[in-house]
Amino acid sequence: MIANTPKRAGLAAVTALIAACGTINPEPLTDAELMSLAQGRLNAVVSPDQEPVTNSIGLYEAMARALHYNLDRQVELRQEAVRNRELRLAEYDMLPDLVANLDYSNRSNDPGSRSVTVATGATSALATRSTGRESFDGDLTLTWDVLDFGMTYYQARQRSNDVLIALEQRRAATNRIIEDTRTAYWRVVSAQRLLNEVRSLQAQGRRALEQSSGILANSDGDPREQLEFQRDILRNDQALEQLARDLDVAKRQLAALMNLPIGQEFQVVMPQRGRHRSDLNMSRHDMILTAMINRPELREVTYRQRNNELERPIATLESIPGLSLFVSRNFDDNDLLLNGDWVTTGSRVSWNLMRVLRLPERQRTIEAGGELLDARALALTQAIATQVIVARARYASLHREFHTASRFLNVQRQLTNQIAREFQSGTATEQELLNERFNLLVAELRSDIAFADMQNAFANLYASMGLDSYDGRLTGDESLQQTTQILQQWWQERGDHSIR
C-alpha cells in the first residue's frame, strides 16, 4: 500500500494538471481594449479612398454617395459576397476526397510473438517477428461517395439560390437607402433655406419680448394685451425651436446616409421653388404587374420555394444505400514484407436504416414548409398590390398637397408684405407683423416639407414596384461623378424633373 502511494500521488498530480489545462474562464474586454476598438472603428467608418466633399451636394450626388459609401449597403454587398464564396465552397464538396496518411512508430523492444497449435495447444519454442521496432508507412487514398455527390449537388444548387436571395436583399436595402436619401435631401434643402430665417425671427421675437416685459413692469400699457403678446411670441418661439431641431436632424440623417465623416458640415445645392414636377407614365394595372415581377420580397420567397423543393431529392438520397469507391497507393518500409508498396482498390456499401424510417416524416415536413412558403407568397402578393395602390394614391395626394401648399405660401407672402407696409405706415402693430412673419415661415416650411414628402412618395412608388433606384448598368467601378451623371439621366427618364 505504501509503495503505491507515490504512484497515486503522481497520478493525482497529472490529473490535476490536465484538469487545470482544460479549464477555460471568461475573459472580458479590458478598458484599454475597448478604447482601442472604439478608436479603431471610429477611424475606419470613412475609408481613405472615399471622395471628400468639396462643393455643395446636389440630389443626384447625394444618391451617388449613398450608393458608393453607405455602410448598410456595404453590409449587404459583403453578405452577397459571402453567399458567393459559400457557393464556390459547395462546388468543392462535390469532388472526391483525396486523403494522405503517414504513420511512424518506435517501440522499446522487439514485437515478437509465439504461435499456438490449435489441435494440440502446444506453444512454439521460439518467438518470431514480422516487423521491426521502428516502422514507417503511409497511403494516398482517393474516395468517391456516390450518395454524397448527389446530396452535395443539390445542396450546391440551394447555395446558388442563397446567392440570388442575397442579391434581392441587397436590392431592397439599396432602394430603401435611396428613398431615404431623397427624402432627407429635400428636408435639408428646407433646413438650409429656412434656418437663418428661423434664427432671425427668434432674435426679433426675443427683443419684442424684452420690450413688452419692460412696458409691463413700468405699467405703461394694457397688462392683458402685453401678456397675450408675450404668450404669442413664446408659443411661436417653441414652434420655431421644434422646427429648427427637426431640420437639423434631417441634415445629420443625410450625412449618415452618405457616410460623411462624423460631425462634418456640408451644404446642399439650393433648387428654385415652383419648378418641380415629377410625372407618372404607367397605369395602375401596369404598376401592379410590374411589382409582381420585380419586387425583391416575391423573388426571395420564390427562391426559398426552390430550396424547399430541393430538399425532396436530398431526403430521398439520405434514405438509400450509399456506395463508396476508393483507390489508394500504399507503402511500408518494413523490410520483412515481400512487397513494400502496393495499390488497393475497393468499394463499400452502407445503409443508415434509421433514415429510411424517418423519410415519411421528413417528406411531410418538406410539404408543410412548401405550404408555408406558398401562403407567404400569396400574402406578399396581396400586400404588395395594396402597397402599389396606396403608394400611387399617396403620391397623387401629396402632389395635390404640394401645389396647395405652394398657393398658400404665395398668398401668405403677399399678406406678410401687406402687413409690413401697414407697419411702416403705423396702421399695424409689431405683434401683427411678427405673427405674419411667423406664419410666412411656417408656410415656407410646409411647402418644402410637402415637396419632400412628394419626392419621398415618388421614390416609394418605384420602390413599391420593385424597380431599382439605380441604373442596372452600374458596375460599381464608376467614379462618383460618373455615378451622379448616370443617376440623373436614369431618374429624369423616369419622369423626375425636380432639378434641372
Side-chain angles (χ1 to χ4, degrees):
M1 179 69 96
I2 297 176
N4 290 333
T5 301
K7 294 182 179 180
R8 292 180 177 178
L11 180 61
V14 171
T15 303
L17 178 61
I18 293 174
C21 292
T23 302
I24 299 177
N25 295 319
E27 297 183 7
L29 293 169
T30 64
D31 291 342
E33 289 174 327
L34 290 170
M35 178 61 72
S36 176
L37 286 171
Q39 292 292 345
R41 286 167 180 166
L42 284 172
N43 293 334
V45 165
V46 179
S47 62
D49 59 347
Q50 180 168 325
E51 188 169 329
V53 176
T54 56
N55 298 305
S56 297
I57 298 175
L59 171 62
Y60 298 109
E61 182 183 345
M63 294 165 62
R65 285 183 174 275
L67 283 179
H68 278 259
Y69 310 128
N70 183 271
L71 295 181
D72 289 335
R73 186 168 187 271
Q74 295 301 317
V75 170
E76 296 298 333
L77 289 171
R78 301 297 187 275
Q79 181 77 6
E80 188 178 349
V82 169
R83 294 293 174 261
N84 274 290
R85 290 297 93 204
E86 290 175 347
L87 174 58
R88 302 283 82 83
L89 190 61
E91 292 173 350
Y92 278 102
D93 290 339
M94 290 188 288
L95 299 176
D97 292 332
L98 183 62
V99 181
N101 294 302
L102 292 175
D103 293 323
Y104 171 79
S105 66
N106 193 340
R107 56 182 296 161
S108 61
N109 50 26
D110 290 323
S113 63
R114 293 184 175 88
S115 60
V116 176
T117 304
V118 175
T120 63
T123 304
S124 61
L126 299 176
T128 61
R129 64 179 177 84
S130 59
T131 61
R133 293 186 180 187
E134 186 179 48
S135 66
F136 182 69
D137 61 84
D139 65 81
L140 183 64
T141 304
L142 180 69
T143 305
W144 189 50
D145 192 311
V146 180
L147 181 60
D148 280 348
F149 170 77
M151 293 173 57
T152 53
Y153 167 74
Y154 288 108
Q155 289 168 349
R157 289 180 59 183
Q158 289 179 322
R159 299 294 80 76
S160 68
N161 287 327
D162 290 341
V163 171
L164 297 173
I165 289 172
L167 169 63
E168 297 305 324
Q169 291 173 341
R170 189 250 298 171
R171 287 182 59 232
T174 302
N175 288 340
R176 183 179 64 252
I177 289 167
I178 292 298
E179 182 181 345
D180 292 344
T181 300
R182 289 177 64 91
T183 303
Y185 172 83
W186 289 111
R187 289 187 181 273
V188 173
V189 168
S190 179
Q192 191 168 300
R193 179 183 285 131
L194 299 177
L195 274 179
N196 289 337
E197 294 183 37
V198 168
R199 299 309 182 194
S200 174
L201 189 57
Q202 284 182 311
Q204 188 174 350
R206 283 191 291 270
R207 289 193 297 270
L209 189 63
E210 292 174 358
Q211 293 175 0
S212 176
S213 298
I215 293 173
L216 192 62
N218 297 328
S219 301
D220 292 338
D222 183 0
R224 178 178 176 180
E225 179 181 345
Q226 293 302 318
L227 288 173
E228 288 177 347
F229 178 51
Q230 293 181 27
R231 180 197 61 190
D232 292 340
I233 291 177
L234 291 172
R235 179 191 295 155
N236 292 345
D237 189 63
Q238 287 178 332
L240 291 173
E241 281 295 341
Q242 183 178 355
L243 295 177
R245 183 190 67 222
D246 293 342
L247 294 173
D248 187 63
V249 167
K251 195 168 188 179
R252 300 277 68 82
Q253 290 173 338
L254 181 60
L257 287 164
M258 297 186 296
N259 195 37
L260 296 185
I262 298 173
Q264 177 178 338
E265 289 299 323
F266 65 96
Q267 301 295 316
V268 296
V269 175
M270 297 297 296
Q272 295 181 358
R273 279 196 178 106
R275 296 188 178 182
H276 309 305
R277 183 171 59 88
S278 298
D279 303 323
L280 298 180
N281 301 318
M282 299 175 66
S283 67
R284 187 176 72 171
H285 177 269
D286 289 341
M287 286 183 174
I288 294 175
L289 183 59
T290 301
M292 296 301 108
I293 296 173
N294 292 287
R295 274 295 287 265
E297 296 89 340
L298 282 174
R299 291 186 180 184
E300 179 181 342
V301 76
T302 302
Y303 294 135
R304 293 191 185 279
Q305 287 173 318
R306 280 189 189 177
N307 280 350
N308 188 71
E309 287 301 312
L310 289 171
E311 287 293 329
R312 295 183 185 276
I314 292 175
T316 301
L317 288 172
E318 285 179 344
S319 64
I320 64 177
L323 173 63
S324 296
L325 306 175
F326 64 90
V327 57
S328 65
R329 180 65 182 269
N330 306 266
F331 75 93
D332 195 317
D333 70 342
N334 185 358
D335 56 5
L336 298 178
L337 290 176
L338 179 61
N339 296 300
D341 63 274
W342 67 97
V343 174
T344 302
T345 60
S347 62
R348 181 181 297 110
V349 176
S350 61
W351 195 3
N352 189 338
L353 297 178
M354 294 303 296
R355 290 185 176 178
V356 178
L357 296 177
R358 74 172 189 173
L359 178 60
E361 188 61 35
R362 178 77 183 277
Q363 291 175 334
R364 284 191 288 269
T365 301
I366 295 171
E367 187 70 28
E371 292 174 356
L372 172 62
L373 290 171
D374 290 342
R376 184 173 297 170
L378 291 177
L380 280 172
T381 299
Q382 176 71 6
I384 288 171
T386 303
Q387 287 175 12
V388 172
I389 295 172
V390 171
R392 182 182 174 89
R394 178 171 176 264
Y395 173 75
S397 175
L398 288 172
H399 198 276
R400 292 191 297 270
E401 287 183 24
F402 165 66
H403 286 289
T404 301
S406 298
R407 293 177 62 187
F408 182 89
L409 172 60
N410 184 47
V411 171
Q412 181 61 51
R413 185 178 288 115
Q414 295 180 47
L415 179 59
T416 303
N417 291 336
Q418 177 64 32
I419 297 298
R421 288 191 292 269
E422 293 178 3
F423 176 73
Q424 293 295 330
S425 64
T427 58
T429 65
E430 184 180 15
Q431 179 181 3
E432 291 175 323
L433 179 60
L434 284 174
N435 283 337
E436 293 308 324
R437 286 191 61 195
F438 171 78
N439 291 334
L440 175 60
L441 188 62
V442 171
E444 291 177 335
L445 181 63
R446 286 177 176 171
S447 177
D448 285 350
I449 290 177
F451 181 74
D453 289 341
M454 184 186 71
Q455 285 295 318
N456 172 265
F458 182 71
N460 178 257
L461 181 57
Y462 279 93
S464 71
M465 291 187 286
L467 296 177
D468 289 335
S469 54
Y470 56 96
D471 193 334
R473 293 170 294 180
L474 288 172
T475 63
D477 297 326
E478 294 82 5
S479 67
L480 184 64
Q481 183 179 2
Q482 289 173 326
T483 304
T484 301
Q485 293 171 349
I486 292 171
L487 284 172
Q488 181 170 359
Q489 179 182 359
W490 177 256
W491 277 87
Q492 287 181 350
E493 288 175 356
R494 286 183 166 185
D496 181 17
H497 303 293
S498 56
I499 293 180
R500 285 296 188 181

